Each structure stands twice: as C-alpha cells, then as structure tokens.
Amino acid sequence: MERLDCDVLVCGGGTGGVAAALALAGKGLRVVMVERYPWVGGQLTSQGVPPDEHPWIEQFGCTARYRDYRSRVRRAVQADPRLTVSARNDPRLNPGGGWVSRLCHRPSDGHAVLLRMLDDAGAWPGLDLRLGYRVESCETLGDRIGVVGFVNDEGATLEVDARFVLDATETGELLPLSGAEYVVGAESQRETDEPHALAGDAEPDNVQGLTWCAALELCPDGDFTTDRPAQYDFWRAYRPPGWPDKLLSFKMLHVQKGTVMDFPLLGNGGFNLFTYRQIVDPSLYRRGAPAPATIVNWPMNDYYAGTVLDVDDSTVSERLSAARQLTLSLVHWLQTEQGYPNLRLAGDLVGTDDGLCQAPYIRESRRVRAEVTVREQDVSPETNPGCDRAPNDGESVGVGAYRIDLHPSTNGRGTVDISALPFHIPLGALVPVRMTNLLPAGKNIGTTHVTNGCYRLHPVEWNIGEAAGLLAWFCLRERLSPQAVRATRLEDFQALCRNEGIETHWPRLGAL
C-alpha cells in the first residue's frame, strides 16, 4: 500500500477535476489528483462528448482557462500542414464541422492539450497525478474527511490524507462514502416548488440515462463489420415505453415538440446523425484528408434501463456492460441491416482498442445538499418574464448557458427539454451544509434533478471545478471553512475568481 499526504486531493480528473488542478497550479500547494481512466478531461476526452452547446461561447460566458483550452485545441489542429490555408488561418475553426458545437474535435487532441496546459501552468512540481485508480473507501472524522482509499485494476492500493478534498468524480462517489448529506434522483414539487418537478413523491431512481459513446469513421470503401454483440437480439428488438419505434431506428421523438421525426444517418440536407457530432471534417484538408469521423452519442444509444447510482457494485457493472452492448449493437445494426459496412469503429480517436470511449458519459450525479440549491424558478424564463438572463443572487462565482435538457430517465420518465436563461453559479451551491473540508467540483453541486439538466455541460463543469479549486486554496490560506468564506469573505473570494479569469456576471444579452 502506498500513502500520500497533501494539501488538496482532487478526486477525479475529469473536466471539473482538471480545471481545479489548473486553478491550484502555482499556488504552492501539494496536490494529488486521482483519475479512474487513462485520460484526463472526462466529458471532453475519455467520454468523447463534443463541448459547449453555448451560443455566445466565442465571445464570453466561460472562464479564461476554458477559453485557453478551446484556443489551444484549434492551434493543435491548425498545426497540421495538410490543412487548407483558409482552415489554418480561421480563428473560429470548427475542426470536425459538427453542428452540435462550434468546436467539435478529436478527444485525443483534447487529452494532449490538457496535459500541456497542466505542464505550462507549472502544475507538475506540486501535482501528483495518478491514473487508473478508483475510489474504494473514505474515513470521516466528524465533519471532516480523513484518509481516502483507492485501488487499481491490478489490486494496488493508494491512501491519500489531504487537508482539503474535492469530489470531482462523475457520480459524486465521496458523498455516500463520507456520510455527507446528498440527494439522488428527482425531487417532488413539495420539496422544490419547481413547475417541472414531480407532482407526487420524490423518485430516487429517476436519473437521466447515461451513454457509452463511440467514435465512428465513414471510410470510402472496405468492410469493417463487427462481430455480432452478445446482446444484439435484445437491443435490436427493444422498444422503450412511449417511444415511437424500436430504439434501433431512425424514428424518434422531437425533444421539444414530442412529435415523431426522422433523423437519418446521412443526407437530409445535413440534418443527420453523422454530422451532428462530427469530429473530423475532410473538407478542411488539401491533401491526405482523413476519413470523416463522428461521435456516436445519439438517442439510439442512450441507456436508461437502470440507474448506476446507489446500487450495488455488481448491478453497476451489469448496467455499464449493457450500455456498452447497446452501443456495439447500434454500430452492428448500422453496418449489417442499414448497409454501412464501411463504418469503422475508430479507437485511435478515443484511446481504446474497440472504438468505444474509455468511460461512460454520466449526465447526472449524486448532488450534495448545499447551503444553496439552484431550482428551476432561479433559471427559467417562465418564472422570470422579461429577463434576458437569470437573476443574480449576488454570490456568483461563474456563469453558464444551456437548456434544461433531461434525457429519458432510468425509471421510465420521458424527456424534459425546456428553455433556461443564461445563469450564474452561486457560491452557496458549492458549500455543503455540514462538511468543512469537502467541496463538490463537478455535476455534484447543489442543483435539483431539473436544474442539473442545464448545469451539466462542459463549460459549467469546468467553471465549477475552477471555483472549487480556488475556494480550497482560499480556505487553506485564510484558515477558514467554506461556510465561513461564504458568510464573511464572499466579496473577497469573488474578487479572487474574477482576478483568475472567471466571469461572474452576464452582460446585457437582449440586444445581441
């Protein structure tokens, strides 16, 4: 067993975890970051999800470090001499041309950029990065976390004793292990007064489905047909409740209107699945163009047959395996029954042998019970008529913009997709009601099931991670708890955030 002592433990090296580590770089602290998968970056990399989905992202609405990440990805792509002159000189180049984002890019490029950012920020002298370890245990001493234990696939164990702990895991793993107060699933209207909360009782098993994404290339020729997946017959015949056709079908529900629509793989004037999240655009190359490639993160491979939160380990393993089987079945169906044998699972783009991403895309985490819980009425245009942005409660430590987008839930509830105003991240949503050295650093902040639907995207998770990292440093420097910072030093901490490049206010948007 190996044991490490440090100032800050960043548990999870995903989008929020890396952002926290970057915020802590150069602060003179000993930092340990432990990540379960081979790549850092989470949504941006190991989960393979193209970023942003944010209409003002090229102008404002994210942290300076996140903007630096986006710029570096573009520069990395533009260093390829095979690109056309116009592509190499385009300050707003979209490397993949996908229309879900203004920066659809290879996950492999994202991982390389993040490692370089940590290097350039001077993180390594104080940062001990451990990859391939998952959380196994957590000691709690009153209102404080003590030693956190990890184990890797070979059985090697690691213990970390830290003065401050950031939970940047994808599912809020430290919350139940530490005994911290938290919420899982969907609240009732009696609890939150939210228009779209449940009319009856709360439903802990009402959690957004996850997706095991994959990278696919459309090759000009060749037969790359995969072996028939073990669960192919099941998924080929599966029809979810309330769905207009079998899940493996090009017929699906329009997320806002609820009407049946056709969403084909190719064609349809560009409104198709392949170009939706396309991450490689061969039209940008003047010679040696690679094959077009996309990320398979579609309604057809959303897995919502069961939650992976607060169930036993064998159930988690079984359900994650089923999610992988669903994606493999979708690819096999496209290759064999839809006439696309030239679709190739492109493992080189996502760092795997089989072309599936290293990690599942987890949309919804356990959520800490915080001093502030963001509710639908805090961000909804329906409850804030005439506003072009959500009201600012005076304790913002960041901003975000995304619709309230709840994918089908694991207990059979359908999609909820409604508007949200550009919103703020209140400091109180990062401050647990009791624990004094534990901070959420990702999708596990104080939101509801409903508002998790708009606080879960890349720029927001990054901003949360940065703010959590800075808050840990501020607490250690000033010898204060997070609760005391919010109560007595809020303005000083907000000034620190702004000085570090975090936008805490939205400009007027009505005239844009």
Side-chain angles (χ1 to χ4, degrees):
M1 177 184 295
E2 185 178 8
R3 185 181 175 100
L4 300 173
D5 296 302
C6 64
D7 296 303
V8 180
L9 166 63
V10 182
C11 189
T15 304
V18 169
L22 286 167
L24 289 164
K27 299 290 193 295
L29 301 179
R30 294 164 298 159
V31 179
V32 174
M33 182 163 68
V34 184
E35 165 58 22
R36 181 171 186 170
Y37 295 98
W39 284 358
V40 297
Q43 291 189 68
L44 292 164
T45 59
S46 60
Q47 297 170 32
V49 184
D52 303 338
E53 301 191 49
H54 171 340
W56 303 284
I57 193 66
E58 299 290 351
Q59 303 161 268
F60 46 78
C62 67
T63 76
R65 290 185 178 93
Y66 186 78
R67 190 165 302 285
D68 183 36
Y69 168 78
R70 299 179 83 257
S71 298
R72 285 173 180 248
V73 167
R74 281 197 170 111
R75 292 199 299 270
V77 174
Q78 289 171 322
D80 189 335
R82 299 175 298 165
L83 263 63
T84 64
V85 173
S86 60
R88 295 184 71 184
N89 294 325
D90 185 355
R92 294 191 175 182
L93 177 71
N94 188 343
W99 45 273
V100 74
S101 165
R102 290 166 171 80
L103 191 71
C104 289
H105 62 80
R106 299 176 181 91
S108 53
D109 289 337
H111 173 62
V113 164
L114 290 174
L115 290 180
R116 183 58 187 266
M117 287 181 70
L118 287 167
D119 190 30
D120 289 349
W124 301 118
L127 174 64
D128 190 339
L129 173 61
R130 299 300 177 100
L131 299 174
Y133 283 84
R134 62 185 183 276
V135 183
E136 185 179 45
S137 62
C138 178
E139 294 180 1
T140 304
L141 309 171
D143 296 338
R144 295 180 61 82
I145 284 184
V147 174
V148 180
F150 302 87
V151 63
N152 67 13
D153 290 341
E154 287 71 45
T157 57
L158 171 69
E159 288 188 343
V160 183
D161 190 358
R163 297 164 66 195
F164 241 93
V165 180
L166 307 187
D167 186 346
T169 62
E170 300 300 323
T171 58
E173 293 176 46
L174 289 181
L175 300 180
L177 289 174
S178 67
E181 293 78 5
Y182 72 95
V183 180
V184 65
E187 298 90 345
S188 71
Q189 287 182 343
R190 290 192 300 272
E191 297 173 271
T192 67
D193 292 323
E194 295 173 298
H196 287 86
L198 300 173
D201 295 332
E203 295 177 350
D205 60 343
N206 185 341
V207 177
Q208 285 192 75
L210 61 89
T211 303
W212 209 301
C213 302
L216 272 183
E217 282 185 344
L218 184 64
C219 300
D221 50 38
D223 186 340
F224 302 96
T225 302
T226 56
D227 294 336
R228 187 183 183 91
Q231 296 181 14
Y232 183 70
D233 290 341
F234 173 82
W235 290 115
R236 182 179 180 276
Y238 180 69
R239 181 170 180 170
W243 202 246
D245 203 338
K246 295 176 182 178
L247 188 58
L248 300 190
S249 165
F250 295 121
K251 287 193 179 299
M252 52 200 74
L253 291 176
H254 191 289
V255 291
Q256 282 101 41
K257 300 176 183 177
T259 55
V260 179
M261 59 177 287
D262 290 313
F263 206 168
L265 180 67
L266 297 168
N268 201 30
F271 182 77
N272 60 59
L273 291 166
F274 195 93
T275 59
Y276 182 40
R277 299 185 191 274
Q278 186 171 313
I279 57 171
V280 177
D281 181 2
S283 72
L284 300 178
Y285 294 77
R286 59 188 175 86
R287 59 181 174 84
T294 193
I295 292 293
V296 183
N297 178 11
W298 306 331
M300 305 135 95
N301 67 321
D302 271 7
Y303 176 84
Y304 38 90
T307 180
V308 296
L309 301 182
D310 286 0
V311 294
D312 60 82
D313 290 346
S314 63
T315 301
V316 172
S317 179
E318 175 185 323
R319 290 174 177 173
L320 290 180
S321 178
R324 291 175 60 87
Q325 280 286 307
L326 171 55
T327 298
L328 289 171
S329 295
L330 168 57
V331 173
H332 189 74
W333 176 78
L334 290 170
Q335 292 170 327
T336 59
E337 299 194 38
Q338 300 303 312
Y340 296 104
N342 56 329
L343 287 173
R344 184 185 79 88
L345 280 163
D348 52 308
L349 301 179
V350 291
T352 63
D353 293 332
D354 59 13
L356 270 66
C357 290
Q358 297 172 15
Y361 172 35
I362 305 289
R363 293 181 176 86
E364 185 170 341
S365 172
R366 301 174 181 90
R367 305 180 299 279
V368 70
R369 284 202 181 274
E371 292 192 343
V372 170
T373 299
V374 182
R375 301 177 299 166
E376 181 183 351
Q377 48 267 51
D378 298 321
V379 301
S380 172
E382 295 179 9
T383 53
N384 296 281
C387 294
D388 65 352
R389 56 201 151 158
N392 188 344
D393 63 4
E395 59 174 286
S396 173
V397 292
V399 297
Y402 188 59
R403 295 176 63 81
I404 293 174
D405 174 15
L406 300 174
H407 284 230
S409 283
T410 53
N411 70 347
R413 298 275 183 178
T415 297
V416 176
D417 192 293
I418 53 179
S419 295
L421 295 166
F423 51 82
H424 303 89
I425 303 169
L427 177 60
L430 276 68
V431 178
V433 293
R434 179 177 61 85
M435 302 296 286
T436 58
N437 75 331
L438 170 66
L439 293 173
K443 296 185 286 285
N444 52 352
I445 64 168
T447 63
T448 64
H449 169 71
V450 174
T451 55
N452 166 261
C454 62
Y455 274 73
R456 63 180 174 82
L457 263 287
H458 313 66
V460 183
E461 185 179 350
W462 181 294
N463 193 325
I464 292 166
E466 269 200 57
L470 291 175
L471 181 56
W473 176 64
F474 191 87
C475 288
L476 291 172
R477 188 187 72 178
E478 303 298 321
R479 301 179 183 274
L480 295 171
S481 68
Q483 295 80 2
V485 171
R486 179 171 179 253
T488 67
R489 300 288 298 278
L490 172 61
E491 292 183 359
D492 291 340
F493 180 67
Q494 288 176 305
L496 168 66
C497 289
R498 287 189 288 270
N499 188 58
E500 293 275 337
I502 294 178
E503 297 178 18
T504 59
H505 296 81
W506 282 100
R508 292 191 177 276
L509 303 173
L512 294 177

